[in-house]
Amino acid sequence: MDSLNIDEVNCQVKGWLKEARENIIHAFGNPLSVETKSSRVDLVTNMDKQTEKFLVNKIREFDPNAKILGEEGFGDNITNLDGTVWIVDPIDGTMNFVKQKDHFAIMIGIYENGIGKLGFIMDVMNDVLYSGGPENGVFANENKLDKPENTSLKDGLLGCSSPMLMMDYNHLQTIVKHSSGARVYGSAGIEFIHILRGQEIGYISHLKPWDFAAGKILAETLGITVKTIDGSELDMLQSANVLIATENAQEDILKLLNSF
Amino acid sequence: MDSLNIDEVNCQVKGWLKEARENIIHAFGNPLSVETKSSRVDLVTNMDKQTEKFLVNKIREFDPNAKILGEEGFGDNITNLDGTVWIVDPIDGTMNFVKQKDHFAIMIGIYENGIGKLGFIMDVMNDVLYSGGPENGVFANENKLDKPENTSLKDGLLGCSSPMLMMDYNHLQTIVKHSSGARVYGSAGIEFIHILRGQEIGYISHLKPWDFAAGKILAETLGITVKTIDGSELDMLQSANVLIATENAQEDILKLLNSF
């Protein structure tokens, strides 16, 4: 398509995510096929692959000219953000999905020439779809979300990657000690949801584009900063150490890091 | 009372917890009064106090001879476990309650001459009451829970206290690296719930009696071990570094610790 019709895309994607969610829940009755990727704790299942294929097919049918970046590789080999780019994470939090059957999300971010237009995070087990973008605001199902309070680091909980927390990456332990405490939920999507709802003031983790593509659009729409941990812009085609935070918490964290 | 009538106590306590839950949810509309206790991140609110007073009054009315140990001090000064002892945590996860309005629990454990009889963990925001004990099994609302699988350390997620994880207390980082990963939920009650449901293989934290009194009864009923981190029995009147785990995960962790 030449330019996104936001309402039409919104309506279409919501239907796909509803169907993808139902497929995942029905699949809980069947044995799961689990493989490892880069390490013992980097998992992929038949349902990650099946869900990505399902979404990629829907996108291609709806928008044949779209470029698609998908975690499991059923999309395209993308080298730039020209045109409409759909970034898909079929199951974010695969470890939680496998071990907990809870606390995971389906995520889609849609960019036009590098500009975030619409983001979708489906909290599968709670059946809540977070959706929206700069043109229409952010919704939890049908309820429009207010901007979360611009809370300082000391007054809020900080989502963390546990490997980073353990290795004290970039003084993360000091940052946590200046906050109200650390939380580790094991899914970028679930962390983004807590930030959108004002339940965390931020999240620090090493993320891939599909981990932050949808959440970045939703979070920025609500005044949350989504940058690298040193405050630079994210490259939507590269992994990065990402800091998602309220403006005040980001400022507090950058100040702390500069004091070392 | 001389000896607990399990069915009667069950029925009574469920009614109190339903009422306590509704009071807490209604109070979200009013300003919260928050004070600190032992540190900047150890909080107590008017709702912790109000909920404990409410429960203590109900217990005294129902069982005038009972001894009560409550987190906020409205119970008795208890020096032994003779007779019937009610251990009450009015809001477990007060930081989550204050910052997230989610992920907190009301907990009651009932002991007779030191033997756990009935435990209750009310997941307030999900409106699920985990209840039961050795005589009747464990229920999530009306649904009887199966024993969780006896999963090994390497195959499951491990709930952690974030201060212990950061300071690598008792080689906790090594333990985590041998698991499927760490999670930090910030509430012992919420961690117990994940273990009861088979969503975590264990939890390691420094806990006070009211943090583990209810969960110990429920977990042990489902074959989960609840001991100190070196495998000793817990003293129900003392704080301890607690390891809650499947039998296999406990064995794996003790083996790992003995290798140092």
Side-chain angles (χ1 to χ4, degrees):
Chain A
M1 73 192 114
D2 289 335
S3 186
L4 288 170
N5 177 326
I6 296 284
D7 290 340
E8 192 193 350
V9 175
N10 226 331
C11 176
Q12 287 285 337
V13 176
K14 284 182 183 179
W16 308 339
L17 290 173
K18 188 168 181 289
E19 202 176 332
R21 173 181 178 273
E22 284 164 6
N23 292 340
I24 289 174
I25 287 176
H26 286 147
F28 280 148
N30 308 324
L32 206 58
S33 156
V34 183
E35 296 166 71
T36 57
K37 297 197 287 188
S38 65
S39 79
R40 189 178 73 80
V41 292
D42 182 13
L43 306 182
V44 61
T45 74
N46 55 315
M47 288 311 297
D48 296 70
K49 293 177 187 173
Q50 186 180 315
T51 304
E52 182 164 312
K53 276 186 208 165
F54 169 83
L55 292 172
V56 165
N57 287 340
K58 292 289 187 189
I59 296 166
R60 292 225 189 280
E61 200 177 306
F62 175 70
D63 181 6
N65 297 323
K67 299 193 287 185
I68 306 173
L69 177 63
E71 173 169 19
E72 310 309 341
F74 298 104
D76 305 306
N77 201 346
I78 292 186
T79 53
N80 65 63
L81 291 172
D82 296 346
T84 307
V85 177
W86 298 64
I87 305 182
V88 176
D89 192 341
I91 297 184
D92 174 75
T94 299
M95 184 62 85
N96 288 348
F97 169 65
V98 172
K99 303 294 181 186
Q100 306 193 313
K101 292 187 167 62
D102 202 353
H103 311 314
F104 61 92
I106 312 171
M107 307 200 289
I108 297 177
I110 308 174
Y111 288 76
E112 248 184 352
N113 299 311
I115 310 293
K117 291 292 179 175
L118 278 173
F120 300 87
I121 303 179
M122 166 63 90
D123 177 344
V124 172
M125 298 314 291
N126 286 317
D127 197 9
V128 180
L129 174 61
Y130 297 83
S131 68
E135 292 179 34
N136 51 346
V138 176
F139 294 79
N141 288 337
E142 305 309 318
N143 306 311
K144 194 161 186 174
L145 295 182
D146 292 329
K147 285 192 182 194
E149 279 185 46
N150 188 7
T151 306
S152 300
L153 177 63
K154 74 173 170 42
D155 291 324
L157 294 165
L158 184 66
C160 295
S161 133
S162 70
M164 282 183 170
L165 190 60
M166 291 196 288
M167 73 174 75
D168 195 21
Y169 172 84
N170 215 6
H171 308 285
L172 181 52
Q173 296 191 4
T174 304
I175 296 170
V176 164
K177 284 169 192 162
H178 282 78
S179 77
S180 297
R183 295 291 177 268
V184 176
Y185 296 134
S187 151
I190 299 302
E191 299 280 0
F192 267 113
I193 288 170
H194 282 82
I195 296 169
L196 297 175
R197 297 170 57 125
Q199 298 178 310
E200 290 185 329
I201 44 96
Y203 174 48
I204 293 182
S205 186
H206 183 81
L207 299 178
K208 298 193 170 145
W210 41 82
D211 296 319
F212 59 77
K216 182 172 192 288
I217 297 168
L218 299 172
E220 287 179 348
T221 298
L222 294 182
I224 302 292
T225 68
V226 183
K227 307 231 169 167
T228 68
I229 199 164
D230 51 9
S232 309
E233 290 299 326
L234 291 168
D235 178 338
M236 295 308 302
L237 300 177
Q238 296 288 335
S239 300
N241 294 318
V242 177
L243 167 61
I244 301 138
T246 64
E247 285 182 16
N248 281 341
Q250 191 219 23
E251 200 178 300
D252 294 337
I253 290 170
L254 291 180
K255 229 182 264 176
L256 254 182
L257 292 179
N258 285 332
S259 73
F260 283 102
Chain B
M1 73 190 113
D2 289 335
S3 185
L4 288 169
N5 178 325
I6 295 286
D7 289 341
E8 193 194 351
V9 176
N10 225 332
C11 175
Q12 287 285 335
V13 177
K14 283 181 184 181
W16 307 340
L17 290 174
K18 185 169 183 289
E19 201 175 332
R21 173 181 178 272
E22 283 163 6
N23 291 340
I24 290 174
I25 288 176
H26 286 147
F28 281 147
N30 307 325
L32 206 57
S33 155
V34 183
E35 296 166 71
T36 57
K37 297 197 287 187
S38 64
S39 80
R40 189 180 70 80
V41 291
D42 182 14
L43 306 182
V44 61
T45 74
N46 55 317
M47 288 311 297
D48 295 71
K49 293 176 186 173
Q50 187 179 312
T51 303
E52 182 164 312
K53 275 186 210 164
F54 169 83
L55 292 172
V56 165
N57 287 340
K58 291 289 186 190
I59 296 167
R60 293 225 188 279
E61 200 177 305
F62 174 71
D63 181 8
N65 296 323
K67 299 193 288 186
I68 306 173
L69 176 63
E71 173 168 20
E72 310 309 342
F74 298 105
D76 305 305
N77 201 346
I78 291 186
T79 54
N80 64 62
L81 292 172
D82 296 347
T84 306
V85 178
W86 299 63
I87 305 182
V88 175
D89 192 342
I91 296 184
D92 174 75
T94 300
M95 184 61 85
N96 289 348
F97 170 65
V98 172
K99 302 296 180 185
Q100 305 194 313
K101 293 186 168 62
D102 202 355
H103 311 314
F104 61 92
I106 312 172
M107 307 201 289
I108 298 178
I110 308 175
Y111 288 76
E112 247 184 352
N113 298 313
I115 310 292
K117 291 292 181 177
L118 278 173
F120 300 87
I121 303 179
M122 167 61 91
D123 177 345
V124 172
M125 299 314 290
N126 287 316
D127 197 8
V128 180
L129 174 61
Y130 297 82
S131 68
E135 292 179 35
N136 52 345
V138 176
F139 294 79
N141 289 338
E142 304 310 318
N143 306 311
K144 192 160 188 176
L145 294 183
D146 292 328
K147 284 193 182 192
E149 280 185 44
N150 188 5
T151 306
S152 301
L153 177 63
K154 72 174 171 44
D155 292 324
L157 294 164
L158 184 67
C160 296
S161 133
S162 69
M164 282 184 171
L165 190 60
M166 290 196 289
M167 72 175 74
D168 195 20
Y169 171 83
N170 215 4
H171 308 284
L172 182 51
Q173 295 191 3
T174 303
I175 296 170
V176 164
K177 283 170 193 162
H178 282 78
S179 77
S180 297
R183 295 291 177 269
V184 175
Y185 296 133
S187 150
I190 299 301
E191 300 279 0
F192 267 113
I193 289 170
H194 282 82
I195 295 169
L196 298 175
R197 297 170 55 125
Q199 297 177 311
E200 289 185 329
I201 43 99
Y203 174 48
I204 293 181
S205 188
H206 183 82
L207 299 179
K208 298 191 170 146
W210 41 81
D211 295 320
F212 60 76
K216 184 173 190 285
I217 298 169
L218 299 172
E220 287 180 346
T221 298
L222 294 182
I224 302 292
T225 69
V226 183
K227 309 229 168 169
T228 68
I229 200 165
D230 51 10
S232 309
E233 290 299 326
L234 291 167
D235 177 339
M236 294 309 302
L237 299 177
Q238 296 289 332
S239 300
N241 295 318
V242 177
L243 167 60
I244 301 138
T246 64
E247 286 183 15
N248 282 340
Q250 192 218 23
E251 200 178 301
D252 294 338
I253 290 169
L254 291 181
K255 229 181 265 177
L256 252 181
L257 292 178
N258 285 332
S259 72
F260 284 102

